[in-house]
Amino acid sequence: MAEYSVIGTSLAKVDAPERVTGKATYGADLDLPGMLWAKLVRSPHAHARIKQIGTSRAKALPGVKAVITAHDLPPLPKGATAPLVGEVSIDMSAIREIVMASDKVRYHGQVVAAVAATDPFIAEEAAGLVDVDYEPLPVVEDVLQAMQPDAPLVHEDLHTLEEATQEKSGQPSNVSTHMVYTRGDVEAGFAAADAVVEKTYTTQMVHQGYLEPQACAARIEPNGKVTLWTSAQGHFTVRTQLVTLLGLPASQLKVVPMEIGGGFGGKALALFEPTAIVLAQKTSRPVKLVVSREEVLRATGPGAPAVITVKAGATQDGKITALTTTMRYDAGAFPGSPVARGLLVGLAPYKLDNMVAEGFDVLTNKPRVQAYRAPGGTPAAFAVEALMDALAAEIHVDPLAFRQKNAAEEGDTLPLGMPLNRIGLTQMLKQIETHPCWTTPLEGPHRGRGLALGYWIGGSFTSSAEVKINPDATASIFVGTVDLTGTRTTISQMVADELQLDPQDITITVGDTDSAPFADLSGGSRITYTMSAAAHQASQDVLTQLKERAAEKLKVSIAEVEYQAKRFWAKDDTRNEVNLAELARESVAWGSGPIIGKGSTTRMQPAHAYAAHVADVEVDPDTGKVTILRYTCFQDVGKAINPTQVEGQIQGGAVQGIGWALNEEYIFDNGELKNASLLDYRCPVALDLPMIETVLTEVPASEGPYGLRGVGEVPIVPPGAALANAIYRATGTRLYELPMNPERIFWATRGNGTNGSHGANGSGGE
Amino acid sequence: MRQAIELNVNGEPHDALVDSRETLLDTLRYKLGHMGPKEGCGNGNCGACTVVLNGAVVNACLVFAVEAAGADVTTVEGVAAEGNLHPVQQAFIEHGALQCGFCTPGFIMSAKALLERNPNPSEPEIRLAISGNLCRCTGYDKIVRAIQAASQALSQTA
């Protein structure tokens, strides 16, 4: 592989100075002249028919400029879809109902109307004056209850799609999709096993917890064109949805990306932007819509919970002979849980010759789930990795050796059918063997060590970059991908090395939808990976154009032109040279004009990412409180373009997973969220945690110029089981339900409470 | 009801006509143009709006604007003296202690205040001092290390 001087170094984030000084501009920081403030009216019922909405009292309040309901949104044919990424489409009629409910509310906090007023106090008061007449309906909250034939129906006209046959069920149901993947002969596999373990695991609804509540602003320009500012994960994705939802041509809609205060998958859909635009159209004034933290938690779309049964058998020497799993994911009020990703992620670390993997996408009267970092992966890995630990214990095989014996390798076929290209799982597991986090004895009472694996497929889809050479021989990069995680910095590093420029001489801009080249949304650990191809291609395009001009000047063929350190020369006569500065200056003085390189990719192979986490815990026997003593994350990153940023991604993801494992859960009462604040919905704080150690494995991915793999998603996958397995060794009790908070551990260690109440797991160790 | 107040922000005198329901955070952001302090929760749970009010570290979302009449307020915009980044800001950049950056203004204020009252804090003291600030991107590791580094940098220049 080529030598690089900027790639592989921890260049400081190019956008850091404006962030440490408070100058970075996020969605809510927009303050437009004449701006109105919007406020959403939300349902106090989790399931109810809307009989009537009265807006006259709200409209009569001085300062109120508009009140809208779903009738004010343009009509949309039922089943209308819009492309989301690649060939994946989303059901826009569901999006429209989330934007504003038309005839029925299906979760507590669903939007039913919106107001725009001259200040936020008036907007809030007016929202309280919108009179909505509801007919409450029975609520179904629990995923297993929702699957029962007599459960209240979230949608009266929804029928189960059988994925294999593409047939729909006769009776309406809360199960939107049923899928089954099979391989080999599980009956024979279980018969060959020396031990079989079967358990059911439960996880709760959780929130992404981005610090910035959703914010957007819309303005109608004098020519009728809409300008929309939004802190979403993909401004082109938002535009695509708005084109369908509002019936506007893309040319009449400019979406400007603002800095985004965290997304983690939760800011991918246009759930607020349509309202801001329609209010701006009604009032002919700019409208800003910023939601409150309570609204964020109640109704913006959390991460999916699941009830997962896993059964696996192994021979005495530690070889898995068969596995079956049933994963039931709660989508909330509209179809689309990440159950298929759950099946993929949970099983991807293993060679499975005999397997049945079954998934259900289930609807309940809860907010429609949105993606959350490695969507679907965390519940699945909690279940599978805890079960594997129990199975290994049953046959007295070391948990690391058990994983090594069954680890997937290049050429194996993933559970959903795709062959694995180059992966670094084996090498990563080898690193654990000798690492002090694994070899150092853990002494003292009530302490235990746990290991769990994680996987993420890595996203692909469309990314584009333009690289321009400025007349002074500096470079400007132009992209359409929102920077969630430091991608402006890593893309700059790639271009710096390709063009052999100092990073100081490169600037990068995330442009709006009218000016930047198209890109799909930022998510799925896809940006650095796909941008590596696009930025490489754009840089090569620049170099080719420069060499053409140099060849002309040096009077040699292009093939004879060499380039290094801002200097072009003829291969056979090194004194026959021209420097970059001269070519750059001349490019806008005469000849062919400015040098603009373009690069794009629409589809790359997956760059599979594997991780393993090792956790040491101490459990207070009197209170059930878990203290993490040491936490180490191993991950095959392919190639760390910026090691500090890679570590930061891993540490942040691991801590989100730790929060999911130990603290975080939505607590519902008849569909109403009871802990809708950041005090009661407790994300980890600095005091809860040790330093998070990272160990990077670098096995290059099969595709891409630098061998890198996306790193952001996978670190959230292993913590649930790593901690559950550690808690088992500390207490002798296995936990079957997240979060493993003090109360749950206190009761579980006393053989009591709701330890996996969904399954007949019993309590205590095996 | 509206009330006229005067206050000093980052050493500059200001006056503003404020609603009696308005928070200091709203006034700083929408009346005085200091968009550095962020609103992540509006009820003191996240710390993104942390400012220093008459020497005390507070959540600006929990202070009514009228309570801040006559006060001295320092926001993140006032931390870099004459355009030179404060060692805490410098350390956050060098140690990768920020990702999305939305919580960063609050962390900078909490960390700077900690180092002013305790120039050589232990790791647990640092973790306690920033426990009122939520960060969802970093897992806090690099934030703690940045504050340790800033502590060292400050002791070398002192």
Side-chain angles (χ1 to χ4, degrees):
Chain A
M1 199 165 271
E3 290 286 319
Y4 299 111
S5 60
V6 188
I7 288 172
T9 66
S10 290
L11 184 71
K13 264 168 80 81
V14 297
D15 50 303
E18 62 259 35
R19 289 170 204 278
V20 299
T21 52
K23 298 288 166 57
T25 309
Y26 299 81
D29 299 339
L30 268 175
D31 209 7
L32 303 165
M35 191 178 79
L36 300 175
W37 296 74
K39 182 74 189 170
L40 302 173
V41 182
R42 294 178 177 277
S43 166
H45 301 284
H47 198 190
R49 217 169 295 288
I50 301 169
K51 293 168 74 178
Q52 200 182 328
I53 301 180
T55 59
S56 53
R57 286 203 303 147
K59 280 177 176 159
L61 189 71
V64 173
K65 299 298 177 188
V67 182
I68 62 166
T69 67
H71 298 296
D72 295 293
L73 300 174
L76 187 72
K78 192 170 168 52
T81 62
L84 181 62
V85 282
E87 289 157 6
V88 180
S89 289
I90 39 171
D91 175 3
M92 290 310 294
S93 56
I95 301 290
R96 189 182 191 273
E97 288 297 308
I98 297 171
V99 170
M100 223 164 270
S102 54
D103 55 351
K104 185 173 150 174
V105 289
R106 293 180 171 87
Y107 58 92
H108 184 274
Q110 191 171 356
V111 177
V112 294
V115 303
T118 48
D119 81 32
F121 298 110
I122 297 172
E124 181 149 5
E125 191 180 343
L129 294 174
V130 174
D131 299 301
V132 189
D133 191 6
Y134 295 99
E135 178 195 338
L137 298 167
V139 170
V140 61
E141 190 184 283
D142 179 86
V143 69
L144 293 186
Q145 282 168 10
M147 292 172 76
Q148 298 302 314
D150 58 346
L153 289 171
V154 180
H155 296 261
E156 288 82 357
D157 56 351
L158 187 124
H159 299 256
T160 306
L161 175 71
E162 195 61 51
E163 199 180 72
T165 60
Q166 288 292 303
E167 283 174 8
K168 294 236 178 173
S169 64
Q171 293 297 313
S173 164
N174 290 322
V175 176
S176 88
T177 310
H178 175 235
M179 59 196 73
V180 184
Y181 301 90
T182 61
R183 185 188 299 162
D185 181 345
V186 288
E187 272 182 45
F190 283 122
D194 295 314
V196 175
V197 181
E198 178 176 8
K199 297 290 176 189
T200 294
Y201 300 84
T202 304
T203 69
Q204 305 300 329
M205 195 168 253
V206 296
H207 199 270
Q208 298 88 350
Y210 37 79
L211 258 284
E212 178 207 29
Q214 276 83 350
C216 61
R219 184 172 69 196
I220 313 304
E221 307 301 344
N223 61 3
K225 182 168 174 170
V226 178
T227 305
L228 175 79
W229 294 264
T230 182
S231 42
Q233 287 177 232
H235 45 304
F236 284 97
T237 308
V238 164
R239 185 184 71 175
T240 304
Q241 294 167 52
L242 291 171
V243 162
T244 307
L245 210 52
L246 299 178
L248 287 168
S251 60
Q252 287 303 301
L253 181 58
K254 177 162 88 176
V255 186
V256 184
M258 305 300 291
E259 294 299 336
I260 175 167
F264 311 113
K267 295 179 181 171
L269 302 178
L271 304 182
F272 302 95
E273 291 83 353
T275 302
I277 292 172
V278 172
L279 285 170
Q281 287 170 330
K282 292 255 177 219
T283 59
S284 302
R285 285 173 69 170
V287 173
K288 175 154 99 173
L289 199 172
V290 182
V291 299
S292 70
R293 174 56 57 182
E294 186 183 334
E295 291 177 281
V296 167
L297 288 166
R298 281 198 196 288
T300 50
V307 178
I308 296 170
T309 304
V310 189
K311 178 182 177 186
T315 54
Q316 206 62 52
D317 64 349
K319 185 77 193 144
I320 298 169
T321 56
L323 180 144
T324 61
T325 183
T326 304
M327 299 195 180
R328 311 153 192 97
Y329 274 64
D330 187 345
F334 296 90
S337 78
V339 57
R341 281 282 180 266
L343 293 169
L344 172 68
V345 169
L347 306 182
Y350 298 100
K351 287 181 186 294
L352 299 171
D353 296 331
N354 305 302
M355 173 205 87
V356 177
E358 185 179 20
F360 293 90
D361 183 44
V362 185
L363 305 186
T364 60
N365 290 118
K366 301 217 283 288
R368 159 65 153 80
V369 301
Q370 303 294 339
Y372 177 23
R373 201 169 199 154
T378 307
F382 165 57
V384 173
E385 289 302 296
L387 191 283
M388 290 301 181
D389 197 72
L391 181 58
E394 191 75 15
I395 52 175
H396 307 289
V397 174
D398 169 80
L400 176 60
F402 182 77
R403 262 73 173 205
Q404 289 176 306
K405 186 122 193 157
N406 295 287
E409 295 172 292
E410 181 174 355
D412 288 349
T413 305
L414 283 167
L416 275 54
M418 178 192 296
L420 278 168
N421 54 25
R422 193 189 302 130
I423 60 169
L425 177 57
T426 306
Q427 293 89 328
M428 187 183 76
L429 293 174
K430 189 82 189 158
Q431 278 183 294
I432 302 175
E433 259 181 33
T434 52
H435 194 279
C437 77
W438 190 250
T439 57
T440 309
L442 180 59
E443 284 156 2
H446 314 298
R447 292 180 167 192
R449 177 170 293 157
L451 164 76
L453 306 186
Y455 164 84
W456 181 250
I457 187 167
S460 171
F461 312 117
T462 297
S463 289
S464 316
E466 288 177 8
V467 176
K468 297 183 245 190
I469 298 296
N470 299 314
D472 66 349
T474 61
S476 302
I477 310 167
F478 209 45
V479 297
T481 42
V482 170
D483 184 356
L484 289 171
T485 58
T487 51
R488 273 174 291 212
T489 308
T490 48
I491 296 165
S492 300
Q493 289 181 264
M494 296 168 193
V495 174
D497 266 337
E498 293 297 337
L499 300 182
Q500 301 177 41
L501 292 179
D502 190 306
Q504 298 289 341
D505 289 335
I506 295 179
T507 181
I508 180 163
T509 302
V510 181
D512 61 54
T513 53
D514 275 358
S515 45
F518 182 92
D520 278 314
L521 64 90
S522 299
S525 295
R526 64 168 219 93
I527 297 299
T528 305
Y529 179 53
T530 53
M531 270 301 187
S532 70
H536 175 83
Q537 202 182 87
S539 302
Q540 292 306 315
D541 187 7
V542 163
L543 286 176
T544 303
Q545 293 179 42
L546 285 166
K547 282 182 177 176
E548 279 169 7
R549 298 182 194 203
E552 203 174 311
K553 226 172 157 57
L554 304 176
K555 302 196 172 17
V556 295
S557 72
I558 295 171
E560 290 170 279
V561 178
E562 300 279 322
Y563 173 70
Q564 202 178 343
K566 302 190 192 182
R567 185 174 154 267
F568 296 84
W569 69 91
K571 199 181 284 180
D572 298 330
D573 179 6
T574 56
R575 288 166 306 172
N576 186 14
E577 63 172 2
V578 58
N579 63 29
L580 176 65
E582 195 176 337
L583 288 180
R585 195 168 57 241
E586 289 179 3
S587 71
V588 292
W590 56 77
S592 312
I595 291 151
I596 304 172
K598 293 178 183 176
S600 206
T601 174
T602 57
R603 183 171 299 185
M604 293 171 74
Q605 294 180 42
H608 307 274
Y610 284 90
H613 291 188
V614 178
D616 288 356
V617 303
E618 182 172 314
V619 181
D620 185 327
D622 296 325
T623 65
K625 184 180 175 356
V626 172
T627 301
I628 302 175
L629 304 170
R630 183 171 187 174
Y631 201 95
T632 310
C633 307
F634 296 80
Q635 187 168 322
D636 175 19
V637 302
K639 167 73 185 170
I641 300 297
N642 184 313
T644 292
Q645 289 200 10
V646 168
E647 289 164 17
Q649 284 295 305
I650 293 172
Q651 291 163 339
V655 167
Q656 282 185 315
I658 289 168
W660 196 331
L662 298 183
N663 287 323
E664 296 177 32
E665 66 178 315
Y666 269 29
I667 299 165
F668 286 100
D669 179 11
N670 201 36
E672 180 182 351
L673 182 64
K674 304 307 282 185
N675 57 332
S677 80
L678 289 176
L679 189 65
D680 298 318
Y681 180 88
R682 197 177 180 289
C683 302
V685 300
L687 266 182
D688 299 332
L689 298 158
M691 294 295 193
I692 307 293
E693 215 174 324
T694 57
V695 183
L696 309 184
T697 306
E698 293 189 319
V699 173
S702 290
E703 198 178 347
Y706 315 114
L708 72 93
R709 301 170 191 273
V711 297
E713 319 282 314
V714 69
I716 199 175
V717 175
L723 290 164
N725 297 340
I727 290 166
Y728 165 65
R729 290 195 176 73
T731 64
T733 301
R734 290 211 182 265
L735 274 288
Y736 299 106
E737 188 169 353
L738 299 185
M740 298 175 287
N741 56 26
E743 185 182 358
R744 199 162 270 132
I745 292 175
F746 179 91
W747 288 116
T749 52
R750 286 158 177 76
N752 216 329
T754 62
N755 184 11
S757 55
H758 279 121
N761 292 324
S763 50
E766 58 268 356
Chain B
M1 209 184 79
R2 294 195 176 206
Q3 188 175 327
I5 62 165
E6 292 180 357
L7 72 171
N8 283 308
V9 182
N10 302 327
E12 296 276 330
H14 289 278
D15 49 47
L17 190 61
V18 301
D19 190 292
S20 57
R21 296 165 291 183
E22 190 173 319
T23 65
L24 173 60
L25 179 60
D26 291 332
T27 307
L28 288 169
R29 287 175 55 82
Y30 299 116
K31 298 268 165 71
L32 306 179
H34 289 279
M35 292 289 185
K38 303 296 179 200
E39 180 164 326
C41 69
N43 56 8
N45 294 161
C46 81
C49 66
T50 303
V51 299
V52 173
L53 176 72
N54 291 334
V57 181
V58 300
N59 289 310
C61 74
L62 292 184
V63 179
F64 282 117
V66 291
E67 294 179 278
D72 284 313
V73 180
T74 307
T75 71
V76 70
E77 288 100 331
V79 170
E82 291 162 10
N84 295 318
L85 293 181
H86 186 275
V88 169
Q89 293 172 312
Q90 199 62 49
F92 268 59
I93 295 177
E94 284 168 12
H95 291 265
L98 62 144
Q99 288 179 31
C100 85
F102 195 80
C103 69
T104 308
F107 273 96
I108 299 279
M109 298 310 289
S110 293
K112 178 172 171 279
L114 166 68
L115 296 180
E116 282 165 4
R117 64 175 186 271
N118 178 2
N120 293 299
S122 65
E123 185 189 328
E125 285 172 333
I126 292 172
R127 289 186 180 273
L128 179 64
I130 59 171
S131 62
N133 294 87
L134 283 178
C135 169
R136 194 61 157 173
C137 295
T138 65
Y140 306 102
D141 181 299
K142 294 191 186 304
I143 294 177
V144 173
R145 291 179 199 277
I147 297 170
Q148 288 172 333
S151 161
Q152 284 197 341
L154 280 162
S155 66
Q156 278 160 13
T157 57

